[in-house]
Amino acid sequence: TYLLACPWLSRGWVAHAVRRGARARVGARARCHRLPVCGSACRKQRWRRRGPPQIAAMSVRRDSVARIKAQGRLEEMTAKFKELDGTNTGQLDFEAMRVFLREANPRMSHRHMLLLFSRVDTDGSGLIEFEEFCDYILSVELMEAKRRKVKTSNLRQWDGPEQLKVNGSWDRETRLALQEFLAVQETPTAKVVKPARFVNGQMNSSHIIVLQELLQVCQMPTAMSTSDGCLACGTWTARTTRALNELLLAEGAPTALHIGEKFPDEGFGKSSVLALQEFLAMMRKGNGSALEMAR
């Protein structure tokens, strides 16, 4: 009524103000009564009640099985899972997991077992599936490798926001994590680069040179060979890949250790990317998403 009584206001402005007030009242009423204002708000409220969709958990479980296959341990893990699965249902209840956890750590308390069980059960079904079981085993192995490497490695740890997933994909997140790691190392080129420009997600000659210098500093056999000249040439060659695989094996990346002495000859494939992602997770200052389950 006040707006209509003001002659200097246009009709369009008045109509716009009325519509804004109506939307504000509807939004306030929806917040009070938990009524969805639109489709996205309805989905958000439903996720708050039931939890977010389990798409991410399903992806992580598929990645865990892929890592087990890359390590050549699928039969071993399947046999262990069937040994624990006394009911032959393809799922483990708390009692079966309690036996497994007690074998690994006899001093583990019942409360700690309950916490671990709820953490391993990513879909909240109350039962552990084979993929979830594999994910837990891999997380524990990676955590133990990280604890060993922190005490013995001469390389500097990197820090920063981590969205790295150990999935064998040479994606932008993996390249960013590798660049974050390379930017803090004690190599001639790494000392002069600007981290803001160096960490960009794209691998160019400067990143490759820092990596090759690091392989030489670590005295990898392939990097120190003088038959083919200096390794630090700015071009990613088969020699660079072999030296990188030698570094991952020497630093104790779980996938590299499980494959064994033939790992340097694997080339830059999925197993190499998996070992590289594990190594980056091991060398990070904090415990990132790759180690969340084993905390």
Side-chain angles (χ1 to χ4, degrees):
T1 304
Y2 171 76
L3 293 175
L4 295 176
C6 298
W8 58 85
L9 296 177
S10 64
R11 291 181 177 273
W13 195 94
V14 172
H16 174 69
V18 171
R19 287 196 297 270
R20 287 188 59 184
R23 284 199 296 268
R25 289 193 297 273
V26 171
R29 193 182 310 118
R31 287 192 295 271
C32 293
H33 299 285
R34 303 297 183 190
L35 298 176
V37 181
C38 59
S40 61
C42 180
R43 287 193 295 273
K44 289 179 182 178
Q45 292 177 8
R46 185 162 58 249
W47 292 355
R48 291 192 190 103
R49 293 193 301 268
R50 303 178 183 176
Q54 302 299 330
I55 298 176
M58 294 172 61
S59 176
V60 170
R61 286 179 282 175
R62 288 195 298 267
D63 295 340
S64 300
V65 176
R67 289 169 64 186
I68 291 295
K69 290 181 179 179
Q71 296 174 0
R73 305 167 59 199
L74 184 59
E75 294 183 1
E76 172 192 348
M77 297 296 292
T78 303
K80 184 62 178 178
F81 187 82
K82 289 182 178 180
E83 178 185 346
L84 296 172
D85 183 18
T87 58
N88 295 324
T89 58
Q91 296 173 321
L92 303 180
D93 56 8
F94 175 73
E95 185 61 28
M97 280 297 295
R98 187 187 67 81
V99 174
F100 173 73
L101 295 174
R102 187 59 59 86
E103 291 177 357
N105 185 4
R107 296 185 177 182
M108 185 177 295
S109 64
H110 184 76
R111 182 178 180 181
H112 193 187
M113 292 181 185
L114 288 173
L115 178 62
L116 278 178
F117 184 85
S118 62
R119 191 173 294 170
V120 176
D121 183 20
T122 55
D123 58 359
S125 63
L127 297 171
I128 305 300
E129 300 176 358
F130 177 69
E131 294 82 358
E132 296 171 330
F133 180 74
C134 292
D135 191 24
Y136 172 71
I137 296 297
L138 292 171
S139 297
V140 171
E141 290 179 350
L142 191 56
M143 178 65 79
E144 293 176 352
K146 176 181 175 65
R147 290 170 179 169
R148 291 193 303 267
K149 190 48 57 182
V150 167
K151 299 178 180 178
T152 60
S153 179
N154 295 324
L155 301 176
R156 299 184 64 180
Q157 292 182 298
W158 66 282
D159 193 14
E162 187 211 19
Q163 298 179 355
L164 176 65
K165 298 179 181 178
V166 186
N167 54 11
S169 175
W170 181 242
D171 50 16
R172 177 178 172 82
E173 286 73 18
T174 303
R175 295 193 295 269
L176 285 172
L178 176 60
Q179 292 167 0
E180 292 269 7
F181 169 73
L182 293 175
V184 299
Q185 301 307 310
E186 294 290 339
T187 67
T189 304
K191 292 179 181 179
V192 298
V193 298
K194 296 181 179 179
R197 295 184 178 180
F198 187 77
V199 182
N200 55 22
Q202 301 293 330
M203 292 295 292
N204 54 39
S205 58
S206 62
H207 304 104
I208 299 174
I209 288 176
V210 175
L211 174 61
Q212 292 168 337
E213 290 176 346
L214 179 65
L215 295 173
Q216 290 179 331
V217 169
C218 295
Q219 299 183 351
M220 294 296 103
T222 303
M224 300 303 293
S225 175
T226 58
S227 58
D228 298 328
C230 180
L231 178 65
C233 60
T235 303
W236 194 303
T237 61
R239 184 182 172 192
T240 305
T241 298
R242 181 177 177 84
L244 175 61
N245 289 348
E246 290 174 350
L247 175 66
L248 298 175
L249 182 61
E251 292 293 317
T255 297
L257 291 179
H258 285 294
I259 294 178
E261 296 298 328
K262 63 179 182 179
F263 180 74
D265 301 324
E266 288 287 316
F268 195 74
K270 188 165 186 175
S271 58
S272 296
V273 178
L274 283 170
L276 176 60
Q277 292 171 334
E278 292 171 345
F279 170 69
L280 293 173
M282 291 160 50
M283 296 306 300
R284 190 172 183 270
K285 288 184 178 179
N287 293 330
S289 57
L291 297 166
E292 182 176 1
M293 188 174 296
R295 294 178 192 174

